[in-house]
Amino acid sequence: MSLALRTESAPDTASRPAPLLEVSGLRVAIDTPRGTIRPVDGVDLMLAAGETFALLGESGCGKSMTALALARLLPDAGRVEHGEVRLGGTDLLRLPEAAMRKVRGGRIGMIFQEPGTSLNPVMTVGAQIAEVLRHHGQGDGRAAAIGLLEAVGIPDPARRLDDYPFQFSGGMKQRVMIAMALAGRPELLIADEPTTALDVTIQAQVLDLLAGIQAERGMGLLLITHDLGVVARMAHKVGVMYAGEVVETGSRDAFFATPLHPYSRKLFAALPSAAHRGSMLDAPLGSVPPLDHAFPGCRFAERCPAAFDRCDDEAPGWHRVGAQSVRCHLYEAVAIPRPFERIAMGQGGAAAPRQAAQTVLEVRDLAVHFPVRKGLLRRVAGHVRAVDGVGFRLAAGRTLALVGESGCGKTTVGKALLQLVAPTAGSVQLDGIEMVGQSGEALRGLRRAVQMVFQDPFASLDPRMRVGEIIEEGMASLGVEPDPAARRRAADVLLERIGLTAAMRWRYPHEFSGGQRQRIAIARALAVSPRLIVCDEPTSALDVSVQAQLLNLMRELQRERGLAYLFITHNLAVVDYLADDVAVMYLGRVVEQGPAERVLRCPTHPYTRMLLDAVPEIEAGRPRTAAPDAQTRIAADLPSPLNPPAGCHFNPRCPRASDICRLTYPYETELGGGHAVRCHWPQRQ
């Protein structure tokens, strides 16, 4: 069945309820030494009270700049060139700054992407919440601040009110930011990437919290994200943004059933999943174009597989397609396209021969305990058992995913393998050679065979060195290539191999995007020809298209070089796509491990099931999330590794816990096929 289309100058809004927020023709300009850029160029959107509008797109497409413009928080070099922003009928762009201060934090609340940089490190969280309460006439009582912390699920809020931000975990800091945003009882809440880099359980808690408070207060929620799973879980309406423009809008169900714009379809095609294991992801090539010039045609034309001549010369207008609106030439007098189907880009990874018989890395009973010192004499008062008896094997050409919540010890395991952190006990053998206890030249030789790609490439790349020097540094220091000319040629080859150009060797790290910096970090690791690469959350802060490009690169390199990957992550979709084997960590110990297909399809440990249940499902027609009660949220918090629970460490959070779980830690149970679990009551299929 096909439906007729009608062409419009803007998305149809006749069926919408009276808008809480109405944005019309918003255009933002930022003056730079190289000219004026327009990160927001003619954005229109409407949001009703009690509704969630998700603004979706890649990094650099203008989502966050749109949010800053709505709250009039643009940098000094930025200005609103054109447009209207109406909140409940009030034009915010015409208000004097004194009046806008009452709106900002009052009628409009805002949750920023990184709570660690948004909270004042020298003020207690109670003082920061009280400051918002006083400014917006909500009182400054301690009881009000305690009530806000309790509402966002902070355990023991009366005590935690006097703590500083550094004493909270990442998820807890995000909850404090939500409490501050809610202190002024806003009509509109703007949440800018509120769950980026959070693990799946904390993400689920934050999303459930936002949904529950929204339902209780009837707030409008503008949710800015690049995560399609978050959109599927939270949104009523969706807007897709690309290069400063909104290119598609519609209801959540219609968007997930049939994304219309070629860019939207590319975002779905780039999602990793088990169905595409062994094949390349259909990631959009290139990146968002620079916005320092006018675009005569469609801004997505250079990356669009369906582009034709008109796309280069004429900017497309809006077209109405059923319940959706799309800005694309393909939808002029054309029937609705078939529902979107993801197509694999080509097979080869799963069936390719692997050197699986040869063990590269063997870890036995690895422990890393950090002493806690107190008092004037700095005596040891206890130990943080960050890693407490971990063991696994990894063969050449295979990927082992180490998964778990933040704080479970994953990163410490990775650093201990390279002896960047001294193990307290245990064995780490690389090609049969013991690494624990090695130092000097012996350890330097072993480090040629094992390299690490860190979570934050900007922090791990020297900002004072050019990219070519960064890649060559490892070859020089480890004696891989003594000849400078040969090192330069090798670095240029690596730059071309990771999708950059040899001419980029003269640039500094800050001149690259986040995805490009992560590619450079991989090139630096490859420069010394390692056999094993430890990847610590390499895709956690990347949008879906850049993540797909990076995963494609890693898969190609593994096939070509027989690399072994230890992939540390909390992204279970990436694990499902990339990993051969999975080890699940909880409070310093591996509680379940085995082939990825068995662990992810037939999990036997309750913690593994909890992680899988917390992953947002991407499907049309699924009801939005319902918020659990406060007790459920509090019970989901990770205990401290300084004082882990007696018996099975998971027993306070486990719905199946019994007396034996509270008394003794379970032994490992072999389930066959390399699948093992530490649980007194494994849930067999």
Side-chain angles (χ1 to χ4, degrees), residues 1 18 24 47-48 113 195 244 253 255 267 273 319 424 429 451 465 487 493 523 570 577 588 649:
M1 176 180 179
S24 177
L47 173 63
Q113 181 170 349
T195 61
D253 288 346
F255 175 72
L267 292 181
S273 70
H319 306 288
T424 306
Q429 292 190 357
Q451 288 288 297
M465 295 176 67
R487 286 200 303 270
V493 169
H570 59 252
Y577 168 73
H649 295 343

Side-chain angles (χ1 to χ4, degrees), residues 15 39 45 91-92 105 127 265 317 327 390 429 533 586 591 618 629:
S15 61
L45 62 89
D91 190 347
L92 300 184
R265 294 190 166 221
R327 192 195 294 260
V390 166
Q429 292 190 357
I533 297 181
Y586 185 75
V591 297
I618 300 177
D629 58 34

Side-chain angles (χ1 to χ4, degrees), residues 368-455:
V368 180
H369 299 169
F370 297 105
V372 176
R373 302 179 184 277
K374 291 185 178 181
L376 183 63
L377 299 179
R378 310 300 295 162
R379 291 174 176 166
V380 176
H383 287 85
V384 174
R385 298 174 177 268
V387 180
D388 198 20
V390 166
F392 54 81
R393 291 184 179 184
L394 180 56
R398 293 183 69 84
T399 299
L400 171 65
L402 195 59
V403 304
E405 295 170 285
S406 299
C408 71
K410 306 186 302 294
T411 296
T412 305
V413 168
K415 291 181 177 180
L417 299 184
L418 279 79
Q419 309 302 296
L420 299 177
V421 172
T424 306
S427 170
V428 177
Q429 292 190 357
L430 183 68
D431 290 326
I433 301 174
E434 181 62 57
M435 293 187 69
V436 176
Q438 299 278 11
S439 61
E441 289 299 321
L443 186 57
R444 180 176 298 180
L446 291 172
R447 281 181 174 159
R448 279 193 56 179
V450 54
Q451 288 288 297
M452 191 163 186
V453 176
F454 294 92
Q455 179 173 355

Side-chain angles (χ1 to χ4, degrees), residues 10-21:
D12 180 33
T13 58
S15 61
R16 282 181 174 270
L20 168 68
L21 174 70

Side-chain angles (χ1 to χ4, degrees), residues 55-59 61-67 193 224-225 241:
L55 199 56
L56 174 71
E58 289 176 283
S59 299
C61 70
K63 306 186 303 297
S64 295
M65 198 60 67
T66 298
E193 300 278 11
I224 295 172
T225 184
M241 197 166 181

